[in-house]
Amino acid sequence: MIILEDIATWPQDIIDYITPDIFRIGQERELELTKNLEGKSWLSAIPDSMYVQTQKQLAIMLRSYSIKAYHCTRLINPEKVLKTGLLPLSRQMLAKGLSNVAPILVSTEDSFEAEEELRDFVRSDAFKNQQGLVWVYLTEMQTQQYDCQDLSEYYGGRTLRAALFNKRYKFHPLLKRLGVPVVIACRVQIADAPAGQVEELAKLMLDHLLNDAAGYSARPIMGELSVNTAIPATNIFEVKEQLQDTLL
């Protein structure tokens, strides 16, 4: 399993593939960066660029591995994840989340109104673009950043909040009252992510190795994946509750 912040966990076959040509690859990248500052691209005229080809090959190689990742959310029963794992976003999941909000709604009319908002949302492109996915961050540092804390501020995460956005003055305060902010550490199969995201991960790792070889100071490593399958309970390492006064 790859732990992105710990280069000792990176696959040896990837290191061995890059090492023999690492300085030439680094030179190509530096030329491209220089041209970018001029509003141009050096690599666009080099179809067999070693820098580009290496990224493509790394993306292929990475699909054989898993990576440690982190899911940020707010849950009513955090320990349940250790039994159920993480499920892809679905209409049923949103409906279940809304049912947990129902007991603290002021009136039956509010409940009908929330259900109507949810029905409209699941017909939208915003829901279709997220349906069937589990989003994760790829470094622990990201769990301390604004994006993760924002996800942990509202029960139901980003999607339920988006579903109720048109009546946010009424429903968003309730979503802040439910559940516990958690960071869930888990194992994710890289092959379950879209090809474009795997290519971005390959570039991220390659650039990190090039920076290290060039003697550049360490830079934060950050990335995301959206996997299109459930993350089983056996792949959940830890469900860590967050101190709420540091998140709100």
Side-chain angles (χ1 to χ4, degrees), residues 2 7 60 72 94 120 138 144 170 213:
I2 298 170
I7 199 170
I60 294 172
C72 302
L94 282 179
D120 289 341
L138 295 182
Q144 306 302 316
K170 180 182 295 184

Side-chain angles (χ1 to χ4, degrees), residues 24-42:
R24 178 181 168 185
I25 298 169
Q27 287 174 339
E28 287 192 3
R29 184 187 65 157
E30 293 302 320
L31 286 168
E32 173 68 358
L33 293 174
T34 300
K35 286 295 183 181
N36 286 344
L37 294 175
E38 301 173 3
K40 304 174 183 178
S41 173
W42 179 77

Side-chain angles (χ1 to χ4, degrees), residues 7-25:
I7 199 170
T9 67
W10 292 19
Q12 190 60 44
D13 59 343
I14 286 179
I15 304 295
D16 292 343
Y17 177 73
I18 296 171
T19 300
D21 300 301
I22 194 167
F23 292 107
R24 178 181 168 185
I25 298 169

Side-chain angles (χ1 to χ4, degrees), residues 76 93-116 118 155-156 160 164 170-179:
I76 291 177
M93 183 184 296
L94 282 179
K96 173 62 177 174
L98 189 59
S99 71
N100 289 331
V101 179
I104 60 174
L105 293 176
V106 175
S107 66
T108 303
E109 181 180 342
D110 285 346
S111 181
F112 288 146
E113 190 174 21
E115 290 174 3
E116 183 178 0
L118 185 60
Y155 169 72
L160 187 57
L164 300 175
K170 180 182 295 184
F171 297 119
H172 280 192
L174 301 179
L175 298 182
K176 286 190 173 185
R177 289 168 51 188
L178 286 175

Side-chain angles (χ1 to χ4, degrees), residues 15 17 57 64 189 196 218 234 240:
I15 304 295
Y17 177 73
Q57 181 59 31
S64 300
Q189 300 299 321
T234 52
K240 185 176 182 181

